[in-house]
Amino acid sequence: MALRGSMGALLVTHNRWRWLQKIPYTSHSDAGIPHYDSRKMKVSYSRSSGPGGQNVNKVETQVELRIRPEDVEISADAVSRLRDLCRNRMSANGEMMFKSSETRSQKQNFDIAARLASDYIRKAMIEPKVWNKNSKTKNQFKAKRMQEKKHQSKLVAWRRGDR
């Protein structure tokens, strides 16, 4: 049973020991994802798999964040880069999915998933360097390399006695 207490604390009672614990309540609005309205974010919780004893069977600690790339407030080029970066995380309806079940705490898993989403968004915001394929340095490098090869072949021919 969970009740909202005074000053934003979440009051949790435990049935077996009948104790009252105050847990600070944090909403999803301070998820830390840049340039994103967190009200459009879909968050779902489920039971994690793997080791963890009875905690795995009772508590829904796995967190799944779903974010639409169009809802992120970045340029159109950055949105396309974000789609390319997250192509393996896209669902059938075009949402990016970020899952976390690393810890036994729901809040920590939410923070990990939100940090992962923000890292992808920050990477997408970085514009890639434009490489000039027709630069003079490339041609100069080829000419210098060919000159060194000719010089080396003349040295080898001189050692053989093909003077």
Side-chain angles (χ1 to χ4, degrees):
M1 172 193 238
L3 301 170
R4 177 81 53 179
S6 63
M7 297 181 15
L10 188 66
L11 300 177
V12 180
T13 58
H14 193 281
N15 292 337
R16 187 168 179 185
W17 289 289
R18 306 247 184 249
W19 55 279
L20 195 65
Q21 178 184 6
K22 283 191 175 183
I23 300 171
Y25 177 74
T26 56
S27 65
H28 298 313
S29 62
D30 56 354
I33 301 174
H35 307 287
Y36 189 74
D37 184 12
S38 59
R39 291 173 287 185
K40 296 179 182 178
M41 175 174 42
K42 294 178 187 173
V43 182
S44 61
Y45 302 98
S46 61
R47 293 188 181 126
S48 299
S49 61
Q54 292 180 355
N55 190 62
V56 172
N57 301 328
K58 295 191 300 187
V59 183
E60 295 184 348
T61 57
Q62 180 175 332
V63 177
E64 182 178 294
L65 293 179
R66 290 177 174 259
I67 299 172
R68 294 184 55 83
E70 297 84 22
D71 295 340
V72 181
E73 297 169 1
I74 52 178
S75 67
D77 293 337
V79 169
S80 66
R81 286 192 296 269
L82 184 61
R83 284 183 181 277
D84 289 341
L85 284 172
C86 297
R87 64 182 168 271
N88 295 333
R89 295 180 175 275
M90 298 296 275
S91 66
N93 57 353
E95 294 176 331
M96 299 179 295
M97 295 186 298
F98 300 98
K99 287 185 181 180
S100 176
S101 60
E102 295 177 17
T103 65
R104 293 173 57 136
S105 167
Q106 194 179 70
K107 182 182 180 335
Q108 287 177 345
N109 283 333
F110 176 80
D111 291 341
I112 291 169
R115 191 176 319 121
L116 185 63
S118 67
D119 288 346
Y120 272 99
I121 291 171
R122 285 189 183 103
K123 281 182 191 174
M125 290 171 60
I126 299 171
E127 292 187 21
K129 289 184 179 179
V130 179
W131 297 98
N132 187 0
K133 293 182 181 178
N134 300 324
S135 66
K136 290 183 179 179
T137 55
K138 180 179 170 184
N139 294 335
Q140 289 173 350
F141 177 75
K142 278 185 180 179
K144 184 179 178 184
R145 189 174 135 259
M146 292 304 293
Q147 191 177 18
E148 288 174 358
K149 284 178 78 170
K150 285 180 184 177
H151 179 69
Q152 187 67 27
S153 67
K154 285 181 184 177
L155 281 175
V156 170
W158 182 77
R159 284 189 207 128
R160 278 192 216 140
D162 297 341
R163 301 173 205 177

